[in-house]
Amino acid sequence: MLKDFEEEMGDLAETALSTAEKKTLRGAARDRLAKEKKSVAEAFGDQPYEVHHRVGLEYAHRFPDMDINDVDNLVALDPAVHKRVSAAWSYFRKTGKDNTAEAVKKVSKIVDDEFGGWFDDVAEEGIEEQLEAAFQESVSRIDKLVRT
C-alpha cells in the first residue's frame, strides 16, 4: 500500500499544471507581486507591466518543494521585455532538450543574466536593439547548454 502511494506521488511530480491551474497561479502572482514588492508599483506607476515567473509555471512540477509564486521567483517586466524573455524560453522548449529541474535552473540563470537589468523596472524607449542582443546571447548560451 505504501509503495502504491509513493508511485502515485511520483507520478504527480511528473504532471504539469493544467491551464486552469496556471491561470489561477498567474492571478495570484500578480496580486502577490503588487503586495510584496512595493518598488514595482513605484517604478511602474501607471505604466503597464507583466508578471514573469523566473522558473516558469510549465516547469513547476519539476520543483515540488518550491512555492512557484514566491516573490523571489516573480519579476515585473515591461511587455516588450517580457515578449523577448518568453521567446528565449520558447527557444529552449523547441530544442527538445529534456526539461529537467537542472536544465530549467540553468536556463533561468541565462535569462536572469541577459534580461535581469530590466527586472522590476520600466524599460526605456528605443531598447529594441538591446533586447535583440540579449535574446541572441541567451539563444547562444542555450545552444551551448543543450549541446552538452
Side-chain angles (χ1 to χ4, degrees):
M1 186 149 124
L2 181 57
K3 184 175 180 166
D4 291 339
F5 176 74
E6 288 172 347
E7 286 176 8
E8 184 178 327
M9 293 309 293
D11 290 344
L12 285 175
E14 294 298 314
T15 304
L17 297 172
S18 70
T19 301
E21 290 167 327
K22 288 179 191 176
K23 183 177 181 180
T24 299
L25 285 166
R26 282 188 182 103
R30 187 166 187 84
D31 292 344
R32 190 170 198 178
L33 187 70
K35 180 181 173 186
E36 294 187 30
K37 278 193 178 178
K38 302 294 184 193
S39 60
V40 168
E42 292 170 11
F44 282 88
D46 293 334
Q47 297 286 328
Y49 68 89
E50 297 174 359
V51 176
H52 172 69
H53 287 83
R54 293 173 56 227
V55 170
L57 293 174
E58 78 179 87
Y59 303 111
H61 63 290
R62 299 287 185 220
F63 302 90
D65 294 331
M66 177 184 189
D67 175 359
I68 202 73
N69 274 351
D70 186 280
V71 74
D72 290 336
N73 192 46
L74 304 174
V75 293
L77 293 175
D78 180 277
V81 176
H82 199 204
K83 182 178 179 180
R84 299 312 284 162
V85 166
S86 294
W89 276 103
S90 291
Y91 183 83
F92 170 65
R93 199 174 309 108
K94 289 176 185 175
T95 66
K97 174 75 173 174
D98 184 27
N99 60 6
T100 63
E102 181 182 347
V104 170
K105 283 181 188 178
K106 288 178 180 178
V107 173
S108 182
K109 170 125 176 52
I110 289 169
V111 170
D112 286 0
D113 290 349
E114 300 304 327
F115 294 95
W118 292 291
F119 287 4
D120 296 332
D121 204 358
V122 177
E124 296 177 14
E125 293 290 321
I127 61 163
E128 291 79 15
E129 287 181 24
Q130 291 172 293
L131 286 175
E132 182 60 22
F135 171 73
Q136 291 301 328
E137 184 60 25
S138 65
V139 164
S140 174
R141 292 177 64 191
I142 290 168
D143 278 340
K144 289 176 187 170
L145 172 67
V146 299
R147 281 189 262 136
T148 58

